[in-house]
Amino acid sequence: MKKKILLPTDFSRNAWNAIQYAIELYKKEACEFYVLNTFNASGYALDSMMIPEPGERIYEEAKDKSEKGLGKIMERLTFRDEYPDHEFFMVSQFNSLIEGIRDIVKKKDIDLIIMGTKGDTNAASVIYGSNTVLVMEKIRNCPVMAIPESANYKDLKEIVFPTDYKMNFKRREFQDIIQVAKKGDVAIRVLYVSDGEPLNEEQENNKKLIEEYFEDLTYTFHTLYNVDVQSAVRCFVESRDSDMITFFNRKHSFFGSIFSRPMVKSLGKYSKVPVLALHDLRD
């Protein structure tokens, strides 16, 4: 069965880099890639009573710009014929980004969303753009991988998985990270930030569950003491030259709160590696 991957684009350089990263990451797999551009008419809010209709000049101009942009992407992809098991589909949709993504995820049964961390503003001070954070916050039925502008694809060797061991994971919730890890014997480094107190019984049991789920993989456990979590993750990743960070995006989770709107930007300022937000099947 082909893997179905959604690639939202705003035609920025970062978005194109994310497309290239996705192609290389899944170069050995049969995939259907859906390149999505959502458009709306400038000056009109989508919840406004004055939404332009097809045929109206302002609508047709926005649609034409979207379709031409996707056409240029298709042209560039046509020259990349080294992976014959990859298929590409261009999708132009009059919609908000979030609703457009929700629509395609549902209609095409998308397995994974891969997007850039910055949009077409490309401001140096904005590392994780508002759209990327919003997608991670709002899309909870599909994993989201965010690719920093400076991330060039290289074969993965190590994925960092921060956890507080307070969440009782289900095996099926780990399938996405396990699939990525099995691509080339990628090691998973489980990172716990401790305040000095020993793990309680619940945490010990959840740690044992992780051991069971990762039994066929290369993995190790690591603990850092008395440091704030985002600094701990950043230092750990940088010191080891890790290739990816993954976390569970639960609404009320310890690490989910770290990746709330202010904190994801804080980590993002120092992050040069992709971040994979896994979906929570209980949300």
Side-chain angles (χ1 to χ4, degrees):
M1 183 180 293
K2 289 187 176 181
K3 194 170 188 71
K4 296 185 178 183
I5 299 173
L6 179 60
L7 305 169
T9 182
D10 57 2
F11 309 128
S12 64
R13 183 171 58 186
N14 193 192
W16 171 248
N17 184 56
I19 292 173
Q20 292 180 298
Y21 192 100
I23 292 169
E24 292 299 322
L25 181 61
Y26 288 96
K27 59 189 173 186
K28 295 180 181 178
E29 294 186 39
C31 294
E32 292 180 0
F33 294 99
Y34 293 85
V35 183
L36 170 68
N37 176 252
T38 57
F39 67 92
N40 51 56
S42 179
Y44 286 86
L46 281 174
D47 57 357
S48 167
M49 297 296 288
M50 298 179 62
I51 297 176
E53 298 289 339
E56 292 184 22
R57 180 184 61 81
I58 195 166
Y59 177 99
E60 295 300 330
E61 286 178 352
K63 179 183 177 184
D64 184 61
K65 182 179 178 181
S66 173
E67 291 178 345
K68 283 182 177 178
L70 289 172
K72 289 179 181 178
I73 288 177
M74 193 64 184
E75 284 180 19
R76 297 174 78 177
L77 292 172
T78 301
F79 291 104
R80 299 179 59 106
D81 57 357
E82 64 264 48
Y83 307 131
D85 287 337
H86 286 180
E87 285 187 273
F88 296 92
F89 303 90
M90 303 294 117
V91 183
S92 176
Q93 192 175 104
F94 180 80
N95 215 336
S96 68
L97 176 64
I98 296 299
E99 291 306 317
I101 288 175
R102 282 177 175 156
D103 180 62
I104 300 300
V105 166
K106 183 177 180 180
K107 285 181 178 177
K108 301 299 181 181
D109 195 21
I110 296 294
D111 297 300
L112 174 65
I113 300 162
I114 300 180
M115 63 189 299
T117 56
K118 287 201 288 189
D120 55 10
T121 57
N122 210 33
S125 60
V126 180
I127 307 300
Y128 269 59
S130 58
N131 281 340
T132 310
V133 179
L134 198 62
V135 172
M136 283 185 167
E137 287 179 349
K138 299 296 184 182
I139 305 299
R140 294 184 173 272
N141 62 339
C142 186
V144 180
M145 185 182 296
I147 312 297
E149 184 180 28
S150 59
N152 295 315
Y153 179 79
K154 59 180 180 178
D155 289 340
L156 301 180
K157 299 298 180 186
E158 183 171 286
I159 300 172
V160 177
F161 171 46
T163 179
D164 60 0
Y165 299 125
K166 291 181 180 178
M167 289 186 283
N168 181 264
F169 300 111
K170 301 299 182 185
R171 186 182 297 272
R172 65 186 184 277
E173 292 179 311
F174 275 105
Q175 288 310 301
D176 293 297
I177 186 174
I178 289 172
Q179 287 175 10
V180 172
K182 284 184 174 179
K183 286 182 179 299
D185 193 26
V186 182
I188 299 177
R189 309 303 179 192
V190 183
L191 177 62
Y192 173 62
V193 181
S194 172
D195 59 3
E197 293 294 322
L199 299 181
N200 61 32
E201 183 178 359
E202 179 189 16
Q203 288 174 306
E204 289 286 2
N205 288 336
N206 290 334
K207 184 177 180 180
K208 288 177 183 177
L209 280 177
I210 292 174
E211 289 179 328
E212 289 180 22
Y213 301 156
F214 290 168
E215 63 182 352
D216 295 328
L217 306 175
T218 301
Y219 70 92
T220 52
F221 290 99
H222 302 263
T223 303
L224 294 179
Y225 293 89
N226 299 316
V227 62
D228 63 277
V229 178
Q230 70 268 29
S231 295
V233 175
R234 173 175 58 83
C235 292
F236 188 84
V237 169
E238 288 184 352
S239 66
R240 300 179 60 88
D241 196 24
S242 305
D243 303 302
M244 186 176 291
I245 301 168
T246 187
F247 72 101
F248 276 89
N249 193 18
R250 285 197 172 136
K251 287 182 180 178
H252 305 294
S253 74
F254 159 80
F255 206 64
S257 65
I258 293 300
F259 270 75
S260 64
R261 195 175 292 269
M263 298 301 281
V264 71
K265 295 175 183 177
S266 175
L267 179 61
K269 288 178 183 178
Y270 308 101
S271 179
K272 298 178 181 178
V273 302
V275 172
L276 174 61
L278 296 173
H279 58 297
D280 177 8
L281 299 179
R282 281 165 286 196
D283 265 357

